[in-house]
Amino acid sequence: RALVVVANKMDLVVDAEYTKNDFANAVQEQIEMRFPMLRNTPVVAMSSLYGDNVYKLMPVVFKARERWARVIPTGMLNRWLEEVLDEHSPPMVRGRPTKIKYILQTKGRPPTFLLFCNVTELPINYLRYLTRSFQDSFDMFGMEVRLVVKTSAETNPYTTKSNTNKTTGIGGQGRKKRFIAGLKRTGKPLQKGKRSRKR
């Protein structure tokens, strides 16, 4: 979930020398000190007793929800990735140069992204660096951002398979599997147009 912090009871601390913004900033600093992953989380200072600043809460909540559900275009993501890699290239993994080829978003709520690499994992420190840069670039504060490493295929995933698979026709592989399953179960193939029922 997207997080918004409400700093209540500001009527007890706010005066002519200590403003609402001072109170909100102090709360935010304490949060970041204890939970670094929650840096820049929105903080709304308010007094529920007197209703002061209460009206500011829901706009911040709705804005956080929009960021949480946001879908970022793939082109924008890969431009960001190119800039990040130029600033700080990924370290070697097990003596092998690391290549992050591209990135795409798989879903929102929470924002989840796939990093297609030539390795199965990235060092945790580098993932933290990517996450911090991502939050700064796309204003994704106060929420979990999932960066998942996925090994990219050596060949084009959209190329056709071998000719042996083409000769089976539509559904050919399924028929072949049912044929073998029928032989194993009954000693004879299933009759054409019939499927066995699981009991």
Side-chain angles (χ1 to χ4, degrees):
R1 294 293 187 268
L3 180 64
V4 174
V5 176
V6 176
N8 193 23
K9 298 184 181 298
M10 73 175 187
D11 53 283
L12 299 179
V13 295
V14 171
D15 54 26
E17 297 181 356
Y18 192 76
T19 66
K20 302 172 185 178
N21 288 336
D22 292 334
F23 180 45
N25 291 335
V27 172
Q28 192 172 67
E29 289 175 4
Q30 290 296 318
I31 292 173
E32 293 182 18
M33 188 181 302
R34 292 170 170 76
F35 308 101
M37 75 289 295
L38 297 180
R39 66 191 185 93
N40 293 335
T41 295
V43 176
V44 179
M46 58 181 284
S47 171
S48 58
L49 179 62
Y50 297 103
D52 196 8
N53 256 24
V54 173
Y55 71 95
K56 291 186 177 181
L57 176 59
M58 292 313 298
V60 175
V61 169
F62 285 124
K63 187 176 180 180
R65 186 181 184 277
E66 289 174 2
R67 295 198 311 273
W68 186 54
R70 181 183 176 188
V71 176
I72 303 174
T74 301
M76 186 180 297
L77 288 172
N78 283 280
R79 285 192 294 273
W80 163 81
L81 180 63
E82 184 178 355
E83 293 177 1
V84 170
L85 294 179
D86 286 341
E87 292 179 3
H88 186 188
S89 58
M92 298 181 67
V93 176
R94 298 174 185 173
R96 181 181 181 185
T98 303
K99 294 181 181 179
I100 304 178
K101 301 180 180 180
Y102 61 98
I103 181 175
L104 59 83
Q105 184 172 5
T106 57
K107 67 173 184 175
R109 300 186 297 177
T112 304
F113 306 86
L114 289 182
L115 291 167
F116 288 86
C117 309
N118 65 334
V119 294
T120 57
E121 60 183 10
L122 292 173
I124 187 65
N125 290 339
Y126 194 75
L127 279 176
R128 287 174 180 165
Y129 159 74
L130 292 177
T131 301
R132 288 177 66 91
S133 175
F134 187 91
Q135 290 176 323
D136 291 338
S137 299
F138 297 103
D139 196 24
M140 291 288 192
F141 299 109
M143 66 190 71
E144 179 186 11
V145 175
R146 297 179 180 176
L147 297 178
V148 181
V149 177
K150 183 175 178 61
T151 306
S152 61
E154 294 296 333
T155 57
N156 190 331
Y158 298 102
T159 55
T160 55
K161 296 183 179 180
S162 62
N163 291 332
T164 54
N165 288 337
K166 291 180 181 178
T167 59
T168 59
I170 299 176
Q173 291 296 320
R175 288 197 298 269
K176 182 178 179 181
K177 291 180 180 179
R178 291 194 296 273
F179 178 83
I180 295 174
L183 286 175
K184 289 181 178 179
R185 254 191 322 270
T186 64
K188 59 182 180 179
L190 295 175
Q191 295 181 10
K192 185 176 181 181
K194 292 184 179 182
R195 296 185 182 182
S196 61
R197 295 181 180 178
K198 295 181 180 180
R199 297 181 178 177

